[in-house]
């Protein structure tokens, strides 16, 4: 085991020497700093320090200032303060600022050692608890991937081979094919499983916001940057970052991302201190990235960086043999009531599911089953409950007929809107963000329109077909 590294910060050379011999004798590795500036330099240096043992009263920067900087700069080092006897108020303030503990001077040698040992014990315990909690709480997503078709078996093999490496993985596939599920599976089967898996939806943010989301920003770097903030890359340090919908990333952001992939280093927006991270990258897209490269919308060099290992998620229509297994899985997942047994489904209904084309892939299938369970009220699911392909919604609106029948322009526009929204929801398996994207609307606006038009979220595809005259104002 490597020795724990303690940084002693005190302007008094005799105290530093005393603590050094004491701590080295107890098996720690020790460094020394004489001033606040030295402390910050050593910490920013990137060499890991497990504990900072710091005098409150120091030249240049006081212990309080240093604590503040440690928090602000996200240096993440635990601190035990040494304060002169009788300054309890300051000690309390120090704890509030994030110091872990404090020792009063003059100190007993044994007190120092006990305080430090206790700190490391506490740290080990919390790490253990956190690890246990992720294992229990996040239940291994591997158990949730269903499918025995040969293409899925190939995918499991690839995941098995790459999960424990740090290789960048690019997951391509249509909407709802399970890209995010695969990304989770890779993370939870990797050595990084106890560290965070941080997800970023690249399509949902404008360029400047996305950059500050990814890389963080310094205070005042743009109008709304009131405080300094860590980016997702930093939050995912030692873990995995999942860059979803990477095909939507602007060329400017792509350039910055390329640098992170090449050098594992970046600066916060508005900052100039390079930050090093150890973050594994998994990216997903439903676009054909090679086509995007050819069209000049995606950087070729970034494409090749991402494309170290590529996993192609097959559309559900190309692996229909998996449908019965998926149905069984979703019936188990979506019970009519908590504790109720999984609903039953007729062979005829399965037959219909096998014949459907599933443009929204597994997500559409899952939504269909979830809805059928509700519609069947806990009874047996039949074809009636599936509400597949609402053929009539695609009917073209007969303008001549409408004008003749006095249907207003407003009512007709509302009908067209309803049809477009329902169709977009259907094609994207009920995913409203994807539907909004397809319609060229901000998600919020789509939700507002759905409310105005009375489109039932759970029953999108079940809405009444719109025929001529049917919606004439009364
Ligand atoms: N093989 C599978 N087994 C079980 N559930 C699956 C499978 N594939 C997908 N799902 C489920 O389908 C839903 C959609 O999957 P996911 O979000 O991973 O798709 P996606 O490819 O990321 O979609 P999008 O491109 O729209 O973001 C999720 O609820 C997921 O759990
Ligand atoms: Mg997704």
């Amino acid at each position: 085991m490597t020795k724990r590294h303690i940084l002693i910060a005190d302007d008094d050379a005799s105290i530093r020497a005393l603590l050094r011999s004491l701590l080295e004798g107890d098996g720690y590795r020790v460094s020394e700093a004489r001033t606040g500036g030295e402390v910050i330099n050593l910490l920013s240096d990137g060499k890991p320090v497990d504990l900072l043992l710091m005098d409150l009263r120091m030249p240049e920067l006081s212990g309080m200032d240093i604590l503040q900087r440690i928090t602000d700069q996200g240096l993440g080092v635990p601190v035990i303060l040494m304060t002169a006897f009788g300054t309890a108020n300051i000690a309390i303030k120090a704890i509030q600022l994030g110091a872990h503990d404090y020792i009063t001077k003059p100190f007993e040698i044994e007190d120092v050692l006990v305080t430090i040992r206790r700190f490391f014990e506490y740290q080990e315990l919390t790490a253990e608890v956190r690890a246990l909690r992720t294992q229990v709480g996040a239940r291994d997503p591997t158990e949730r991937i269903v499918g025995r078709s040969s293409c899925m078996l190939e995918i499991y093999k690839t995941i098995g081979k790459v999960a424990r490496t740090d290789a960048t993985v690019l997951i391509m596939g249509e909407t709802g094919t399970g890209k995010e599920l695969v990304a989770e599976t890779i993370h939870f089967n990797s050595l990084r499983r106890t560290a965070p898996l941080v997800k970023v939806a690249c399509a949902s943010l404008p360029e400047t916001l996305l950059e500050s989301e990814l890389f963080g920003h310094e205070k005042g770097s743009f109008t709304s940057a009131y405080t300094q903030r860590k980016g997702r890359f930093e939050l995912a340090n030692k873990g995995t970052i999942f860059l979803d919908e990477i095909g939507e990333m602007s060329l400017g952001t792509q350039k910055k991302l390329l640098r992170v992939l090449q050098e594992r280093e970046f600066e916060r927006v508005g900052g100039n201190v390079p930050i090093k991270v150890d973050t594994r990258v998994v990216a997903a897209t439903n676009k054909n990235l090679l086509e995007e490269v050819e069209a000049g919308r995606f950087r070729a060099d970034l494409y090749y960086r991402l494309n170290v290992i590529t996993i192609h998620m097959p559309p559900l229509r190309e692996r229909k043999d998996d449908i019965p297994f998926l149905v069984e899985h979703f019936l188990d997942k979506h019970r009519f009531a908590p504790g109720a047994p999984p609903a039953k489904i007729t062979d005829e209904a399965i037959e219909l599911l096998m014949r459907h084309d599933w443009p929204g892939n597994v997500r559409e299938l899952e939504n269909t089953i979830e809805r059928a369970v509700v519609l069947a009220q806990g009874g047996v699911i039949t074809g009636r409950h599936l509400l597949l392909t609402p053929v009539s919604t695609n009917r073209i609106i007969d303008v001549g007929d409408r004008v003749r029948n006095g249907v207003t322009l407003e009512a007709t526009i509302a009908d067209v809107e309803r049809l477009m929204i329902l169709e977009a929801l259907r094609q994207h398996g009920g995913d409203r963000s994807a539907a909004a994207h397809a319609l060229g609307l901000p998600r919020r606006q789509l939700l507002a329109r759905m409310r105005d038009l009375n489109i039932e979220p759970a029953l999108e595809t079940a809405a009444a077909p719109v025929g001529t005259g049917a919606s004439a104002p009364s």
Side-chain angles (χ1 to χ4, degrees):
M1 219 179 104
T2 52
K3 284 185 178 177
R4 284 182 168 125
H5 183 194
I6 300 181
L7 175 59
I8 301 172
D10 200 309
D11 57 328
D12 185 332
S14 61
I15 293 209
R16 288 201 309 271
L18 171 68
L19 285 170
R20 174 187 279 275
S21 70
L22 202 66
L23 294 175
E24 281 180 347
D26 214 30
Y28 300 104
R29 190 158 74 77
V30 174
S31 309
E32 295 176 30
R34 211 168 30 85
T35 64
E38 277 184 29
V39 172
I40 294 295
N41 283 344
L42 277 165
L43 291 178
S44 314
D45 218 21
K47 277 194 218 91
V49 171
D50 297 305
L51 177 66
L52 171 60
L53 185 59
M54 175 168 65
D55 188 21
L56 190 58
R57 224 199 50 231
M58 292 220 296
E60 289 174 29
L61 287 168
S62 79
M64 285 297 184
D65 293 336
I66 297 172
L67 267 180
Q68 188 70 56
R69 289 226 191 165
I70 287 173
T71 327
D72 287 351
Q73 299 184 15
L75 293 172
V77 63
V79 180
I80 293 180
L81 278 180
M82 297 179 284
T83 70
F85 186 69
T87 48
N89 281 340
I90 296 182
I92 290 167
K93 179 130 184 278
I95 299 279
Q96 283 167 343
L97 262 179
H100 184 82
D101 207 342
Y102 63 89
I103 297 168
T104 47
K105 275 180 172 180
F107 45 72
E108 298 287 335
I109 288 174
E110 197 48 31
D111 279 354
V112 176
L113 291 180
V114 167
T115 306
I116 291 177
R117 273 186 219 136
R118 209 172 42 207
F119 163 73
F120 282 119
E121 271 167 28
Y122 161 84
Q123 205 188 31
E124 258 174 30
L125 215 69
T126 42
E128 218 169 281
V129 168
R130 206 174 311 128
L132 279 172
R133 206 173 283 152
T134 27
Q135 280 168 23
V136 177
R139 266 195 51 223
D140 191 347
T142 318
E143 286 168 33
R144 296 191 276 123
I145 299 196
V146 176
R148 307 180 188 178
S149 53
S150 54
C151 37
M152 286 310 285
L153 295 182
E154 276 310 307
I155 288 172
Y156 302 151
K157 264 191 235 161
T158 310
I159 295 175
K161 269 187 252 168
V162 302
R164 285 175 164 258
T165 71
D166 280 341
T168 301
V169 180
L170 177 63
I171 308 168
M172 299 218 255
E174 291 177 13
T175 180
T177 46
K179 298 184 292 295
E180 186 164 343
L181 191 56
V182 166
E184 288 170 5
T185 307
I186 290 173
H187 175 73
F188 283 97
N189 283 282
S190 74
L191 302 169
R192 298 168 174 267
R193 58 177 298 160
T194 52
L197 166 66
V198 176
K199 300 178 183 178
V200 187
C202 302
S204 63
L205 294 169
E207 175 168 346
T208 45
L209 279 185
L210 178 60
E211 287 188 6
S212 90
E213 199 63 38
L214 287 172
F215 309 119
H217 58 71
E218 297 296 345
K219 193 168 168 175
S221 55
F222 52 91
T223 7
S224 56
Y226 300 118
T227 55
Q228 183 226 48
R229 184 166 166 213
K230 279 194 197 183
R232 305 276 179 107
F233 262 101
E234 271 176 86
L235 296 174
N237 193 25
K238 307 267 184 242
T240 308
I241 191 165
F242 175 51
L243 302 173
D244 203 3
E245 302 171 80
I246 197 165
E248 311 294 325
M249 198 179 262
S250 73
L251 286 163
T253 313
Q254 289 176 28
K255 188 171 172 199
K256 298 199 172 154
L257 176 61
L258 178 69
R259 180 169 158 226
V260 184
L261 292 180
Q262 282 170 339
E263 298 162 28
R264 301 280 150 189
E265 187 179 282
F266 58 89
E267 282 109 39
R268 296 201 186 106
V269 174
N272 48 23
V273 185
I275 292 168
K276 283 221 170 282
V277 282
D278 166 24
T279 301
R280 195 229 190 126
V281 176
V282 176
T285 177
N286 53 22
K287 288 195 169 166
N288 181 333
L289 272 196
L290 206 51
E291 273 172 20
E292 295 297 297
V293 169
E294 276 156 18
R297 286 187 295 264
F298 205 85
R299 291 180 68 108
D301 43 11
L302 178 59
Y303 173 72
Y304 289 111
R305 273 281 162 181
L306 290 171
N307 197 18
V308 183
I309 310 281
T310 306
I311 296 181
H312 288 276
M313 299 305 296
L316 187 54
R317 62 183 172 280
E318 286 174 17
R319 51 181 185 106
K320 286 192 166 180
D321 292 351
D322 284 340
I323 290 176
F325 300 111
L326 285 163
V327 169
E328 191 189 352
H329 172 70
F330 292 135
L331 286 174
D332 188 45
K333 179 170 169 190
H334 301 286
R335 309 286 178 103
F336 182 61
K344 299 234 172 335
I345 183 164
T346 63
D347 291 346
E348 165 254 348
I350 294 275
E351 210 25 54
L352 287 174
L353 294 172
M354 297 285 281
R355 277 214 296 271
H356 187 65
D357 220 33
W358 302 110
N361 294 294
V362 184
R363 182 184 292 109
E364 187 188 358
L365 176 61
E366 176 164 6
N367 291 344
T368 301
I369 296 296
E370 186 178 7
R371 184 177 56 209
V373 169
V374 174
L375 292 178
Q377 306 251 328
V380 177
I381 294 170
T382 67
R384 221 157 43 80
H385 304 121
L386 299 176
L387 308 175
L388 291 173
T389 336
V391 251
S392 49
T393 58
N394 277 330
R395 200 147 89 206
I396 292 162
I397 288 178
D398 185 339
V399 179
D401 205 43
R402 288 195 161 224
V403 175
R404 263 189 303 280
N405 286 302
V407 182
T408 62
L409 179 61
E410 209 185 334
T412 304
I413 290 172
D415 285 346
V416 174
E417 274 187 307
R418 180 179 290 112
L419 289 180
M420 287 282 286
I421 292 173
L422 285 168
E423 181 61 20
L425 286 166
R426 191 185 67 79
Q427 289 190 16
H428 293 279
D431 178 343
R432 291 173 212 178
S433 303
H437 186 68
L439 294 170
L441 289 178
R443 185 184 143 94
R444 227 180 311 135
Q445 209 169 319
L446 172 69
L447 297 182
R449 290 311 288 151
M450 284 173 66
R451 258 195 316 276
D452 293 346
L453 295 166
N454 247 330
I455 296 175
E456 266 292 317
L459 297 173
E460 289 110 11
T461 50
V466 181
T468 50
S471 49
S474 48

